[in-house]
Amino acid sequence: MESTLNTIDPLAPLPSESQPEKPAIQNSLSTYSVFDTQFTQLCKDWQLELRRTNAQRQKRFLEVDHKKLRADGKLKDDEVILPIRVADRNIRREQPAYIAFLTQSRRSLIFRERKSSLDIALGTANEEHLEQEFTQGMRYPNWELAPYAATDGAQTHGWDACEVVYDDTKPLKVAIEHVGHDKLLFPTLALDIQHCEYVARGYDLTGQQLTTYVEKFGFSADQVKQLTEADADTGWRTVRLYRVWKILFREDGIIKVAWRCDVPLNTNGINRASTQCTDWLKPPAPLYLGRTETKIEMQPQPPKQEVVIDPMNPSVAGIIVEIPQPAVPVETQVDAVETEFPIYVLRYHQTENMQIFSTRGRVFLDSPDQEAQTAIASGFVNKLMRSTNVYGAVNSDATPGSSAAPKQLGVKLEHGKIYDRPINFFSADAPDPSLLNALQWFGVRNAEENGQTDFAVQNRQDSRKTATEIQAASQQASLLSGVQVTIYSTWICSFYTRAWQIVQNLAQYNKLEFLVDPQTGQNKTDVISKFYYTRAAGDIDVTQRAEKLQKMMQLWGVIAQTPAAPALLRNILITALPDEGPQLVQVIQDDTQTKQLLATCATLLQQLVISKPDDWKELQPQEQQQLLGLQQQVQQCLSGGQSK
């Protein structure tokens, strides 16, 4: 009994207190079979939206094949369909405001150390330098295409997105890529994709690209072969596309990325190797965006050896004893984990319904008006064309009591011929011109719904308030478009802020030359490492700048003759010309200082002539003449005149 008790560790928990072993996770999305079940259901949920997306693209451009419609008997030989592309017109009408907001600003993002300073156009020297460096790096060739495409997609379908990716080929190793409305899959009930368990981004790749990505990105050679082997020795190898999905999912609190592939997009029922991959094209791994973080790890140290001598027998050689040493904290640099999806959705409008799928684009909103206007315009043109046709009938009554259909004769009338019986000529009635007013009414109503109230104002014969109405309508349109631009501004700020976080980290760890000090040749880490509040620059550089400049120009006539005129002039130049304005202001300041010095010289010369006549008489006549000439030239320079 005693030996048994001696073998029990007194610090070990009792059997009843021991924690049960955690079962292995069976529903992890990293397991391909588990994820495949989830993704298959997601694709089924998206079928309706994918069909709607293709239909909306066709409705937007409303392509009409008259030849095919006539061949199918759906359109008569003398009929045409005149497409009125209302949705496309409204989309293009709205785009200049978005593009101006994005491209006409001199900077991509505003950085401020203090949140209260975000509304100020000019920041400190370090903030201005930071904005300039970041803007130059992010405006690489064709940088505007991705936001432009996402904007067009959101206007058309209701939402679209851009992704922030790590790219070694870009100046700041960060790029903004367009995703596509139907190439970003997420749960259909989602309110915010950042709260989703996973999202999927689609890429369309050829078989050759898949083969190349085996060596370039580590795709599975077996899975690529399984997908493409059916194309061997066929004419489909170079024309078939594969929809490859980049899967981003949250697991263990971090974002992981994996790749899979589904059936080819253009199989059209022909033979293929398989319906989809049987495993990952590339297995899950933590998402890497180039960022680095420093971790402190306790590194064990080797034991210290000491010689211990028995004090009772000092003559006996000592015994070497190993003394354990405490672990030492050591800093190591590892890849930073990402906890947020680098994909940012732009919604066309924001309502109380937060579901992303509830958002509708211009094609959905304009479809009824587009159909109505197309029908009215086509009907007017068809009736007009038919009214130009001439028909003839022999001047004789039909058989009394006969209900037979009119008989068409094979006789063709020819010019300059004489016929032996009278013929009545007739044609269809011309269309009523009021149809065009109805068409205009639909256009006016649609413009009002679209927020283009300035376009919707019509001149009225019973009123002379047209100019006032147009001015009020323009102000109302500006307010309505401002709501849309606010949503757009928030979206731009979101993905540029994420890009800045990556650039900031790369610059801090000297993986990137950014904000280099010309004296030391090193990055200004003291400036880069600070926390900055950010804001889309278009708010100030485009929207507020135009409003502010208009107000200052209106006040110039009142302040021009007051001491405040120089200060207002400087603000006007800086606001109107962000790049050249400071240089022009400096020229004005230099000229003002020069005139102040000349005025001082003129005062001294005047005092020399008037207050000290005795000293003046002692000067030589030649010296007196030179001083008088100098005084005259100074006065002329100050007055802006020319010497005569």
Side-chain angles (χ1 to χ4, degrees):
M1 183 68 179
E2 183 178 357
S3 60
T4 304
L5 293 175
N6 290 337
T7 59
I8 299 177
D9 186 357
L11 299 180
L14 297 176
S16 60
E17 298 177 352
S18 61
Q19 299 295 329
E21 295 184 0
K22 295 183 179 180
I25 300 177
Q26 301 295 331
N27 295 324
S28 171
L29 292 178
S30 297
T31 305
Y32 184 81
S33 59
V34 174
F35 178 81
D36 183 64
T37 302
Q38 302 293 327
F39 190 71
T40 300
Q41 181 60 45
L42 181 65
C43 292
K44 292 180 180 179
D45 296 340
W46 267 78
Q47 288 302 315
L48 177 60
E49 181 62 28
L50 295 178
R51 289 194 296 268
R52 181 186 299 159
T53 300
N54 293 328
Q56 288 176 342
R57 287 170 177 162
Q58 295 176 0
K59 284 184 179 180
R60 174 181 176 179
F61 297 105
L62 201 60
E63 297 182 5
V64 179
D65 189 347
H66 291 87
K67 185 176 180 180
K68 186 177 185 303
L69 291 175
R70 292 191 180 99
D72 295 341
K74 298 179 180 179
L75 197 65
K76 296 182 179 180
D77 292 341
D78 61 344
E79 290 181 340
V80 296
I81 295 178
L82 185 63
I84 305 296
R85 300 177 177 89
V86 179
D88 184 65
R89 179 184 61 196
N90 288 334
I91 290 173
R92 294 177 184 273
R93 183 181 290 172
E94 291 177 349
Q95 284 178 350
Y98 294 122
I99 302 306
F101 188 91
L102 178 67
T103 61
Q104 291 184 8
S105 175
R106 63 184 176 88
R107 50 199 168 175
S108 299
L109 205 62
I110 292 177
F111 296 90
R112 294 291 183 268
E113 294 185 44
R114 300 173 57 185
K115 189 175 182 179
S116 59
S117 301
L118 283 173
D119 293 331
I120 301 176
L122 297 177
T124 63
N126 288 334
E127 291 169 348
E128 289 284 326
H129 192 191
L130 186 65
E131 292 169 354
Q132 182 181 5
E133 288 279 326
F134 181 75
T135 301
Q136 290 179 351
M138 292 306 299
R139 293 188 175 180
Y140 46 82
N142 301 323
W143 65 273
E144 62 270 54
L145 295 182
Y148 177 83
T151 303
D152 186 84
Q155 290 177 279
T156 303
H157 307 292
W159 73 86
D160 208 327
C162 279
E163 181 181 3
V164 179
V165 298
Y166 179 76
D167 190 345
D168 276 326
T169 64
K170 298 298 185 289
L172 297 182
K173 299 185 178 181
V174 180
I176 310 297
E177 294 182 353
H178 171 233
V179 177
H181 175 79
D182 55 344
K183 293 183 180 178
L184 177 63
L185 303 189
F186 50 86
T188 56
L189 299 179
L191 307 180
D192 186 344
I193 65 169
Q194 297 300 335
H195 300 155
C196 297
E197 191 171 354
Y198 74 93
V199 296
R201 177 188 174 184
Y203 297 81
D204 295 335
L205 304 179
T206 64
Q208 185 178 17
Q209 286 178 298
L210 283 174
T211 304
T212 304
Y213 287 177
V214 172
E215 297 182 0
K216 191 174 182 180
F217 299 117
F219 279 14
S220 170
D222 294 337
Q223 295 300 318
V224 170
K225 181 180 179 181
Q226 180 176 334
L227 288 165
T228 60
E229 65 181 1
D231 290 333
D233 301 326
T234 67
W236 293 96
R237 182 179 61 83
T238 57
V239 298
R240 184 177 290 176
L241 292 176
Y242 297 85
R243 176 63 58 84
V244 175
W245 294 100
K246 176 182 179 181
I247 310 300
L248 297 167
F249 61 95
R250 185 177 283 106
E251 190 173 71
D252 299 329
I254 65 174
I255 302 298
K256 295 183 178 180
V257 58
W259 296 79
R260 61 170 284 154
C261 184
D262 291 333
V263 295
L265 297 180
N266 50 348
T267 55
N268 295 326
I270 65 174
N271 184 30
R272 58 178 179 265
S274 65
T275 56
Q276 62 183 29
C277 288
T278 57
D279 202 349
W280 296 109
L281 269 178
K282 188 175 181 179
L287 176 63
Y288 177 70
L289 293 179
R291 298 197 308 142
T292 303
E293 61 183 1
T294 300
K295 284 189 175 181
I296 299 178
E297 297 181 353
M298 302 302 294
Q299 183 174 351
Q301 300 296 313
K304 182 179 180 181
Q305 295 182 349
E306 292 185 359
V307 178
V308 178
I309 300 176
D310 187 358
M312 302 300 297
N313 299 307
S315 60
V316 180
I319 302 174
I320 299 177
V321 179
E322 293 185 349
I323 301 177
Q325 298 297 313
V328 178
V330 178
E331 291 186 354
T332 58
Q333 295 182 2
V334 297
D335 294 339
V337 297
E338 304 293 339
T339 58
E340 179 182 330
F341 294 124
I343 298 177
Y344 300 91
V345 175
L346 170 63
R347 301 178 65 165
Y348 179 64
H349 57 79
Q350 188 74 49
T351 65
E352 51 81 25
N353 191 343
M354 298 301 295
Q355 283 188 7
I356 300 177
F357 262 63
S358 68
T359 312
R360 295 290 182 262
R362 287 252 53 97
V363 176
F364 174 85
L365 299 174
D366 295 330
S367 289
D369 290 282
Q370 181 165 293
E371 292 180 7
Q373 294 187 42
T374 299
I376 293 175
S378 301
F380 182 86
V381 171
N382 289 333
K383 189 169 185 180
L384 178 63
M385 296 301 297
R386 286 177 178 174
S387 67
T388 62
N389 296 332
V390 179
Y391 303 92
V394 178
N395 189 10
S396 61
D397 296 335
T399 304
S402 175
S403 60
K407 181 179 180 181
Q408 183 176 357
L409 304 179
V411 179
K412 293 185 178 180
L413 301 181
E414 297 183 15
H415 176 69
K417 301 294 184 179
I418 298 177
Y419 298 91
D420 60 355
R421 67 190 66 181
I423 298 176
N424 291 333
F425 294 96
F426 62 93
S427 61
D429 295 335
D432 190 347
S434 61
L435 287 176
L436 297 180
N437 293 334
L439 183 63
Q440 187 180 20
W441 179 85
F442 276 99
V444 170
R445 187 179 66 86
N446 180 263
E448 290 178 347
E449 292 180 355
N450 193 26
Q452 301 293 339
T453 53
D454 46 349
F455 290 102
V457 173
Q458 287 183 295
N459 191 2
R460 303 198 313 268
Q461 297 179 358
D462 60 341
S463 175
R464 295 184 178 181
K465 299 179 181 180
T466 304
T468 303
E469 287 179 345
I470 292 177
Q471 182 180 3
S474 299
Q475 295 176 356
Q476 181 68 14
S478 177
L479 294 175
L480 293 174
S481 63
V483 176
Q484 297 293 96
V485 171
T486 300
I487 300 175
Y488 194 69
S489 171
T490 304
W491 176 65
I492 291 177
C493 183
S494 63
F495 66 73
Y496 269 141
T497 300
R498 184 65 175 273
W500 157 245
Q501 293 172 355
I502 299 174
V503 173
Q504 183 183 37
N505 182 274
L506 294 174
Q508 284 182 280
Y509 284 90
N510 295 316
K511 294 182 177 180
L512 178 72
E513 290 186 0
F514 183 81
L515 213 66
V516 178
D517 189 341
Q519 296 181 353
T520 63
Q522 301 294 326
N523 295 342
K524 296 181 180 179
T525 54
D526 57 332
V527 178
I528 299 172
S529 59
K530 294 181 179 179
F531 174 80
Y532 293 95
Y533 294 95
T534 57
R535 180 180 182 179
D539 291 327
I540 294 178
D541 293 348
V542 179
T543 306
Q544 295 183 11
R545 184 183 68 179
E547 298 175 356
K548 185 177 180 181
L549 183 61
Q550 182 180 6
K551 293 180 180 178
M552 289 190 295
M553 294 301 295
Q554 293 174 351
L555 293 174
W556 174 251
V558 180
I559 303 179
Q561 303 301 325
T562 66
L568 181 59
L569 179 60
R570 287 195 295 269
N571 291 335
I572 291 176
L573 291 175
I574 293 176
T575 304
L577 303 171
D579 296 327
E580 299 84 359
Q583 182 180 0
L584 297 177
V585 169
Q586 186 63 39
V587 172
I588 295 175
Q589 291 178 348
D590 294 341
D591 182 70
T592 302
Q593 293 176 358
T594 302
K595 289 185 177 181
Q596 291 176 352
L597 292 175
L598 289 175
T600 303
C601 292
T603 303
L604 294 175
L605 289 173
Q606 186 68 18
Q607 292 176 355
L608 179 62
V609 174
I610 298 176
S611 62
K612 298 181 179 180
D614 295 336
D615 295 341
W616 175 260
K617 293 178 181 179
E618 294 179 359
L619 297 176
Q620 297 294 329
Q622 183 179 1
E623 295 175 345
Q624 292 179 0
Q625 186 65 28
Q626 291 177 351
L627 289 176
L628 290 174
L630 180 60
Q631 182 186 16
Q632 184 180 4
Q633 292 177 1
V634 170
Q635 292 295 339
Q636 291 177 350
C637 181
L638 290 175
S639 61
Q642 297 179 354
S643 59
K644 298 180 181 178

